[in-house]
Amino acid sequence: MTVIETRGLSRTFESRVRPRGFAASLKSIVKPEKRIVNAVRGIDLEVEAGEVLAFLGPNGAGKSTTIKMLTGILHPSGGTARVLGLDPARDRMKLAMGIGTVFGQKSQLWYHLPASDSFRLLGAVYEIDDATLARRTGELVERFALAPYLETPIRKLSLGERVRCEIAASLLHKPRILFLDEPTIGLDVVAKREVRVLLDELRREDGVTIFLTSHDIGDIEKVCKRAIIIHHGTVVVDESMKELKHRALKRKRVGVKWAGPADSSLPGLEPLKHTEDAAKYEVDTTKHRLEDVIKVLADRGEIVDLTVEDEPLEDIIAAIFASRSEEEAHVAAGARA
Amino acid sequence: MSRPALALRKYSVIASVAIREKFAYLASSTARYLTYGLFVFVFSRIWAAVYAGQASIAGYDRVMSTWYFIVAELPIFSFSAFFARVSEELKNGQIVYRLARPYGFIPASFAERVGPALLDLAVFGAVGFALGFALVGPPPVPAGLAFAVVPALVVSLVLSACLQFFLQMSLAMTAFRLEENDAFYWIYQKLALVVGTLIPIEFLPDAARAIARWTPFPAIAWSPARILVAFEPRAALSILGVQAAWVLAAALLSSAVFAAGRRHVVVNGG
């Protein structure tokens, strides 16, 4: 069952250009100069119930804008969106009953009050009766291990504890889709791991559809089954995590250390870095057989150490992120396919 | 529980949680309560000097003018933060959580802002009335009508809170379209002060008074103050009726501003 569907979804923003100089400033009062920013440009998406999706992109790619359109916060400038069969912009309040949201850079909890008060408030907001709310709160307190700090004012919690409370708060009404916008931002490795485990549990046990944006590749690798990369407001990659990881398998990092000085230049293969007795290469296995490369390296001298690693997923994504235009992003994505 | 009851419950719970938070930090408002007390004291001295050579100005004697100031300042001190808070919420992007919830943006903001403001009003009122009794004695309420003055005054102050909320909300929501909207509030604040807060509108020249009566500003401070210092049942009902009409108009205005601005919400930076 499709729970999210968009066709040509787009959003433009208008901003005033601040002129330089006194005369230009005066002129701008009468005739302001405006700049149109195409934050999202014609995104087509289909997400099935129970999918766990990583929505990736560099800063300013349009991730948050897309999430905000899918949750009814922002109105699209063009195209259509259906979430749980509803038009988010038109049926915002009805849709809110079926979705949960966590914005990592904002808080939905009352800063000076304990999480229990925020839960009580959200229970009323989502029209949950007292008995159901008590049961649901109990379940979430247990699953997220919130008992030790449920009655502590939010301002006194660590960031990791607060994020656990934020995610628990977003699940009180048993949403069918959970939108998470950079939920692990600022967390230490332990807290990040805890959040990932919780999200994975939600997927496995409750079948919640998870729509996750994150800059943390660990979040994506551990939690998600599908990756969509957007850049310059358009989708440049949409494939399963398996496929994305398979790209990494096609490129190997080969490191070699010889017993003494050796010639590190190989035909058709430039070393990424080298010293007189060591070198590191990136080998595209669709062009060079790994076995042949290792044989040539062995011919250059006695090998004392040899390492073969997959290309980090982060590098693949970084290459796409680094592109300066939509065309370049497509080329970067294609080149690594 | 029926749907309307559930809907009503959500707003009452929002108000009660907001009041709880306000209680937690009531002491942080001490400076504001002291400032109000200082204002009342200073103005009581000013009125004492003004009335040294005359018994009455435009029908107000010294006691009336002092009590007028005490009550007229209550809505200004208690209900002035709506604009800043809502405007800030729109500018810093916190609005995302409000728009992602199954409630009305304006009713939820109303419950969250007006609830704690009424608690503030109770504290300011206690300070003001204690000072008023100490400085000029009891307010000039006609004998036997105190039972009617108190509810009329309370209703008038609550209507004033509602009016201030919807007017300030309308101004704050211009942030949907404008990068900078503080100037609107600055003008609003100054007009509210001049038209019925610092002095009764009866003190204004005829032409200014005639114009002022067609604006919502007398319904903010003049109405509750007038009810206390010159209580007359039919006049009080008329004053409350006019206040209620302004509240309705301001509520419609805020809904229209929200509907017009909603499509232009911009939330940058995650």
Side-chain angles (χ1 to χ4, degrees):
Chain A
M1 183 194 165
T2 305
V3 289
I4 299 174
E5 188 176 7
T6 71
R7 289 281 172 267
L9 189 68
S10 52
R11 171 76 199 213
T12 55
F13 294 113
E14 209 175 66
S15 66
R16 256 178 99 161
V17 178
R18 301 249 176 234
R20 284 180 173 215
F22 184 69
S25 297
L26 277 181
K27 192 183 158 198
S28 78
I29 295 171
V30 185
K31 199 177 174 188
E33 193 184 331
K34 291 185 175 168
R35 188 169 65 99
I36 303 290
V37 179
N38 295 307
V40 175
R41 298 189 293 172
I43 284 187
D44 295 334
L45 276 183
E46 268 185 36
V47 180
E48 298 299 313
E51 271 199 87
V52 182
L53 183 96
F55 199 59
L56 312 171
N59 291 330
K63 304 183 299 294
S64 293
T65 302
T66 305
I67 280 204
K68 282 164 192 147
M69 284 193 283
L70 295 177
T71 49
I73 294 166
L74 298 182
H75 281 244
S77 308
T80 59
R82 305 292 293 176
V83 179
L84 298 174
L86 300 166
D87 177 343
R90 211 182 50 209
D91 307 311
R92 173 182 70 84
M93 283 168 60
K94 203 171 169 190
L95 176 65
M97 284 291 195
I99 61 170
T101 47
V102 175
F103 297 99
Q105 298 185 46
K106 314 266 182 318
S107 179
Q108 60 186 316
L109 305 169
W110 289 64
Y111 188 64
H112 296 298
L113 296 177
S116 58
D117 277 329
S118 291
F119 288 0
R120 188 168 71 85
L121 182 143
L122 289 169
V125 164
Y126 286 101
E127 301 176 8
I128 306 169
D129 65 70
D130 291 342
T132 311
L133 179 64
R135 194 178 63 244
R136 186 71 182 142
T137 304
E139 286 168 12
L140 292 168
V141 166
E142 193 183 333
R143 174 179 278 183
F144 286 68
L146 305 181
Y149 44 86
L150 188 66
E151 299 301 332
T152 307
I154 295 299
R155 68 174 194 283
K156 292 188 176 171
L157 300 184
S158 70
L159 184 59
E161 290 166 343
R162 204 202 79 200
V163 170
R164 294 167 84 95
C165 291
E166 296 275 359
I167 297 175
S170 69
L171 294 168
L172 274 173
H173 58 296
K174 287 201 165 187
R176 290 167 60 195
I177 307 175
L178 184 59
F179 290 94
L180 299 138
D181 194 0
E182 299 184 32
T184 57
I185 194 161
L187 296 186
D188 63 37
V189 282
V190 178
K192 269 182 191 172
R193 189 181 300 159
E194 286 171 354
V195 169
R196 287 171 194 156
V197 168
L198 289 168
L199 292 178
D200 199 43
E201 261 179 44
L202 278 176
R203 174 187 67 80
R204 279 187 285 110
E205 293 173 19
D206 297 357
V208 177
T209 307
I210 296 177
F211 197 102
L212 170 79
T213 78
S214 179
H215 286 295
D216 193 304
I217 303 303
D219 288 350
I220 297 146
E221 282 188 288
K222 298 283 187 314
V223 179
C224 299
K225 302 290 168 205
R226 177 179 164 195
I228 293 179
I229 300 178
I230 69 165
H231 200 3
H232 304 288
T234 59
V235 173
V236 291
V237 171
D238 181 357
E239 60 192 24
S240 70
M241 282 306 296
K242 267 188 188 164
E243 285 173 310
L244 195 61
K245 281 180 181 169
H246 190 67
R247 292 176 182 227
L249 298 179
K250 289 181 188 169
R251 285 172 182 268
K252 302 287 181 190
R253 295 277 167 88
V254 177
V256 63
K257 184 165 174 55
W258 291 281
D263 177 11
S264 62
S265 63
L266 299 184
L269 206 58
E270 282 297 310
L272 292 173
K273 55 184 180 180
H274 65 98
T275 59
E276 62 174 18
D277 63 348
K280 192 158 198 171
Y281 305 87
E282 186 178 88
V283 181
D284 183 345
T285 56
T286 59
K287 292 180 184 160
H288 305 275
R289 288 181 62 212
L290 202 55
E291 191 187 343
D292 295 342
V293 172
I294 293 168
K295 267 185 191 163
V296 175
L297 292 174
D299 290 344
R300 298 287 161 87
E302 185 192 339
I303 293 176
V304 291
D305 192 16
L306 182 78
T307 57
V308 179
E309 296 164 345
D310 295 335
E311 183 185 22
L313 190 57
E314 196 161 348
D315 287 5
I316 296 173
I317 294 170
I320 299 168
F321 283 13
S323 49
R324 280 169 297 178
S325 67
E326 183 190 340
E327 291 72 30
E328 271 187 35
H330 279 289
V331 169
R336 290 175 177 261
Chain B
M1 209 183 271
S2 65
R3 293 286 299 180
L6 279 171
L8 195 64
R9 183 171 164 255
K10 71 176 80 173
Y11 299 115
S12 66
V13 172
I14 292 172
S16 78
V17 171
I19 289 170
R20 278 200 61 186
E21 184 164 74
K22 177 80 191 169
F23 256 122
Y25 280 80
L26 203 59
S28 65
S29 299
T30 307
R32 290 171 58 235
Y33 303 139
L34 289 174
T35 306
Y36 168 69
L38 187 67
F39 270 40
V40 168
F41 177 76
V42 169
F43 259 75
S44 74
R45 298 295 88 203
I46 291 172
W47 286 133
V50 169
Y51 282 101
Q54 53 196 325
S56 166
I57 303 169
Y60 284 76
D61 62 20
R62 184 190 151 207
V63 174
M64 284 171 78
S65 289
T66 306
W67 274 106
Y68 181 95
F69 184 80
I70 288 169
V71 176
E73 282 290 338
L74 287 178
I76 303 303
F77 271 89
S78 310
F79 313 135
S80 291
F82 301 141
F83 172 86
R85 294 198 177 152
V86 174
S87 206
E88 184 60 25
E89 198 175 271
L90 297 182
K91 288 174 186 170
N92 69 17
Q94 192 61 27
I95 190 178
V96 294
Y97 275 123
R98 287 218 185 279
L99 294 177
R101 296 264 183 263
Y103 53 41
F105 174 68
I106 295 175
S109 300
F110 181 88
E112 190 179 327
R113 306 293 172 210
V114 176
L118 291 175
L119 178 66
D120 244 350
L121 173 71
V123 180
F124 280 118
V127 171
F129 272 71
L131 273 171
F133 273 92
L135 292 167
V136 291
V141 176
L145 285 179
F147 70 93
V149 174
V150 174
L153 178 62
V154 170
V155 171
S156 182
L157 285 168
V158 171
L159 287 171
S160 173
C162 298
L163 179 59
Q164 287 241 60
F165 172 80
F166 289 121
L167 289 176
Q168 291 182 35
M169 191 79 183
S170 303
L171 293 175
M173 286 189 296
T174 57
F176 282 139
R177 299 298 300 265
L178 302 170
E179 287 171 24
E180 191 49 65
N181 61 350
D182 289 349
F184 294 137
Y185 183 60
W186 189 86
I187 295 167
Y188 166 90
Q189 222 180 5
K190 302 305 166 245
L191 283 171
L193 268 183
V194 173
V195 184
T197 303
L198 293 177
I199 51 169
I201 55 172
E202 288 81 358
F203 286 21
L204 297 174
D206 289 347
R209 192 167 63 242
I211 295 168
R213 285 199 189 280
W214 288 98
T215 71
F217 297 107
I220 291 171
W222 176 84
S223 296
R226 180 73 188 175
I227 283 176
L228 182 75
V229 302
F231 186 77
E232 195 279 310
R234 290 184 67 171
L237 277 178
S238 164
I239 287 171
L240 292 177
V242 171
Q243 270 190 296
W246 276 117
V247 170
L248 184 66
L252 291 173
L253 174 69
S254 64
S255 296
V257 175
F258 178 69
R262 174 77 185 81
R263 294 188 64 82
H264 302 278
V265 173
V266 176
V267 187
N268 293 324

